[in-house]
Amino acid sequence: MKTMLVVLAVLAVVGGGTVALVNHFGGWTTLIGKAWAITYEVSAQPAETAVDLTYTESPDRDRKETPRPVSVSAPLPWTHEVVINAGEKASVTATPKGDQQLSCRILLDGVKELAGAAAAPGQAVRCEATMSI
């Protein structure tokens, strides 16, 4: 009987410590996040031109964290795959360096279009979508 009480006491301490540690790091939903693979696409008329791009990506698919912005300059057409955690916003913005007419899309798993937009010549274009939970 004494051994069983010691075992139960150890299990209570270990279990309580685990719960306290998980809560310290934001809870189970923070430690084990659900994430989506998405593809950003930006194209232009005329097609072969460079633009300034800003897009979001989650730093870690296994932790629920706010997506971080990334800025690059790249030739078009441009395609980039990232991971966005569930409940977070995916976005891509492209700014032309001239009078190009830009368009963008956000695709889920490279197939389903979540967002699409086109801009007037010389104007920036922005696509954004909130990833479902």
Side-chain angles (χ1 to χ4, degrees), residues 25-100:
F25 286 105
W28 291 115
T29 57
T30 299
L31 292 176
I32 303 171
K34 181 177 180 182
W36 299 100
I38 63 165
T39 303
Y40 294 123
E41 291 182 351
V42 178
S43 57
Q45 296 297 328
E48 294 183 20
T49 184
V51 297
D52 294 324
L53 298 153
T54 301
Y55 62 91
T56 56
E57 69 179 346
S58 294
D60 187 344
R61 79 176 303 135
D62 297 322
R63 280 186 63 91
K64 184 163 175 50
E65 297 180 32
T66 302
R68 65 175 187 212
V70 178
S71 295
V72 297
S73 184
L76 297 182
W78 177 81
T79 301
H80 189 68
E81 294 181 14
V82 301
V83 171
I84 298 291
N85 289 321
E88 299 292 343
K89 188 178 293 186
S91 69
V92 61
T93 303
T95 305
K97 295 183 178 181
D99 286 337
Q100 303 96 337

